[in-house]
Amino acid sequence: MYDWKGIRAVARRELRIIRNRPLYLVGSIGVIAFCAIFFLTFLNDGLPHDIPIGIVDEDGSTTSRNFSQQLDATQLGKVVRYDSFSAAREDMTSGKISAVCVIPTGMNEDIQSFRQPKITFYVNGLYFVSGALAWKDLLTMVYMSNGAVQREVFRAKGYNDRQIMGMIRPIDIDTHQIGNVTTNYNYYLTGILLPAILEMIVIIVLIYSLGTELKYGTSRHLMNTAGNSIATALTGKLLVWTIVFSAIGFILVLILYHQMHFPMAGSIFNMFIAMFLMVLASEAIAIFILEMLPVPRLALSVGALYSVLGFSLSGFTLPLEAMPPYIQGLAAAFPIRYYYLFHVQEAIFGTGFAGWWKYVIFLLLFLFVPLLGIRRLKDAYINQNYPKD
């Protein structure tokens, strides 16, 4: 039987602590609000555009000028012209441009004489997104220019446009980008990045909330308020924080899928379920970390490290299947991994319960993890026999 009177007393005590320490609200609501505003505005355009690409035109022909104009007309690229390669290289190493394209002398003559001219690319790989997009834009323009030259040659030989396209591009590609037709980086990153940040906030804030009872020696007062029951003490504190974190999570879901119109093939209400379960699982992990390390400083360090690893091991930036086998097994220890899989099944494919029921089970299994060390935490709260710093 739950001691509901004790739970209410602990919950009221926790509310007084939150009211007297604004750090709790700043660390939870303030941080997630800042991150949401930052990422949703930073990636508001969906895909980076006007990436500066340096052009060194050593040919100066009509063909080379047309190549530069076409490259400048694309959405991704913005041409910056240079008279020498040394000046373009200096700007690329300083980060002013993302790539350099050198058009060699005699390119137009080589094309007309059916010789193969060589266009040289230099891409700054230190900036992964801009460098990769600049490379893609340059490569696309070269292929298009190559096709245009072949088209004129075939036209001169008397072929019609349909025959020409069959020879230039014998295989046509029909691409379907499921769930993100416009290649919107906001959909790709923010939809999982913000829940991952929320998971980190849940773990760190809850470890701090539970750990300060040891740090400031107030854990015995907490246990007295809870009738000397660790279950009542944790339930009372978690009641408050679960409401706070769940409310934050639900607001995030509404902002992403209702206000910002992120892709949602299924039901937004099912995403509420995923968010609520992820919050509960993250709270369970926070309790377990403090149980194993009842020293606030160490527990916070481990919690921060664990949370950061979740960003990579969730699989939304790099497919888990591409990671080493021993790393793939570690991903099972992170709630955000199952939230991501739930999101894929519900928001991207819209499979409903049949697609994500097993991930719900995995998230619920996290709730049993704190049982492994509940006695250890109770002893720490009563005896206060661990270092406070």
Side-chain angles (χ1 to χ4, degrees):
M1 291 291 294
Y2 277 105
D3 180 10
W4 295 109
K5 183 178 180 181
I7 291 173
R8 288 194 298 270
V10 173
R12 286 194 296 267
R13 178 181 179 275
E14 189 67 15
L15 288 172
R16 288 195 299 269
I17 293 174
I18 295 174
R19 185 176 64 249
N20 295 330
R21 296 178 186 172
L23 178 63
Y24 285 108
L25 295 180
V26 173
S28 55
I29 299 175
V31 170
I32 195 63
F34 171 80
C35 293
I37 294 172
F38 176 80
F39 286 108
L40 290 174
T41 53
F42 180 70
L43 297 172
N44 185 51
D45 292 332
L47 186 70
H49 57 84
D50 291 340
I51 298 171
I53 300 174
I55 294 290
V56 181
D57 187 358
E58 297 177 349
D59 189 44
S61 63
T62 303
T63 303
S64 63
R65 289 195 299 270
N66 181 65
F67 177 85
S68 300
Q69 292 171 358
Q70 293 296 328
L71 182 62
D72 194 34
T74 62
Q75 180 182 3
L76 292 178
K78 179 181 180 182
V79 168
V80 181
R81 292 175 174 81
Y82 292 91
D83 295 328
S84 65
F85 173 71
S86 58
R89 179 180 179 181
E90 182 179 350
D91 281 358
M92 186 175 71
T93 54
S94 64
K96 294 181 180 179
I97 59 177
S98 299
V100 176
C101 177
V102 179
I103 302 176
T105 303
M107 183 189 75
N108 186 56
E109 294 180 2
D110 289 342
I111 292 175
Q112 298 299 327
S113 302
F114 298 100
R115 295 190 296 267
Q116 188 178 36
K118 182 182 292 185
I119 298 178
T120 307
F121 298 162
Y122 298 87
V123 179
N124 191 344
L126 292 176
Y127 302 98
F128 178 76
V129 174
S130 60
L133 292 177
W135 164 261
K136 175 184 176 182
D137 206 29
L138 284 167
L139 204 60
T140 300
M141 286 308 306
V142 168
Y143 287 147
M144 291 179 64
S145 299
N146 181 52
V149 171
Q150 294 182 54
R151 183 186 61 187
E152 295 304 319
V153 171
F154 287 132
R155 279 178 176 174
K157 293 182 178 181
Y159 293 100
N160 59 47
D161 286 346
R162 184 174 182 180
Q163 292 173 317
I164 292 172
M165 290 306 298
M167 289 183 286
I168 294 178
R169 192 170 61 183
I171 299 176
D172 197 10
I173 300 175
D174 186 15
T175 303
H176 297 270
Q177 299 184 143
I178 300 174
N180 194 354
V181 178
T182 58
T183 318
N184 190 316
Y185 273 55
N186 207 8
Y187 300 161
Y188 166 62
L189 292 174
T190 312
I192 300 298
L193 194 59
L194 287 180
I197 293 173
L198 177 60
E199 180 193 70
M200 180 173 64
I201 291 172
V202 171
I203 292 173
I204 292 177
V205 170
L206 192 57
I207 288 176
Y208 182 79
S209 176
L210 296 172
T212 51
E213 303 287 355
L214 294 169
K215 180 178 177 64
Y216 297 113
T218 58
S219 58
R220 290 175 181 170
H221 179 266
L222 171 63
M223 295 301 294
N224 290 332
T225 306
N228 209 37
S229 170
I230 187 65
T232 301
L234 290 178
T235 303
K237 292 178 76 73
L238 290 178
L239 178 63
V240 175
W241 284 114
T242 300
I243 293 174
V244 172
F245 293 137
S246 297
I248 295 173
F250 293 166
I251 292 173
L252 280 180
V253 170
L254 286 173
I255 291 175
L256 294 176
Y257 301 107
H258 179 71
Q259 186 66 30
M260 301 298 296
H261 303 290
F262 276 42
M264 173 53 67
S267 171
I268 191 173
F269 296 103
N270 290 335
M271 293 307 300
F272 288 152
I273 296 174
M275 183 63 71
F276 179 68
L277 292 176
M278 190 198 73
V279 167
L280 293 181
S282 302
E283 291 176 342
I285 292 295
I287 296 172
F288 178 72
I289 291 174
L290 189 66
E291 289 173 347
M292 297 298 102
L293 292 169
V295 181
R297 175 173 53 85
L298 293 178
L300 282 171
S301 299
V302 172
L305 176 62
Y306 172 90
S307 303
V308 170
L309 288 175
F311 285 82
S312 300
L313 295 179
S314 64
F316 82 99
T317 53
L318 178 68
L320 196 66
E321 294 75 14
M323 301 181 188
Y326 58 89
I327 297 295
Q328 295 181 25
L330 292 177
F334 294 86
I336 189 62
R337 169 63 180 169
Y338 301 109
Y339 177 87
Y340 167 67
L341 295 174
F342 191 115
H343 163 267
V344 170
Q345 294 297 324
E346 183 63 27
I348 305 302
F349 296 115
T351 57
F353 180 79
W356 47 254
W357 65 268
K358 53 186 175 183
Y359 307 127
V360 169
I361 294 177
F362 290 137
L363 287 171
L364 290 174
L365 288 176
F366 281 96
L367 304 185
F368 296 96
V369 174
L371 298 179
L372 299 175
I374 193 72
R375 173 61 62 178
R376 180 180 173 87
L377 182 61
K378 181 178 181 180
D379 293 341
Y381 270 6
I382 293 176
N383 299 322
Q384 297 180 355
N385 53 351
Y386 289 92
K388 294 181 173 58
D389 297 323

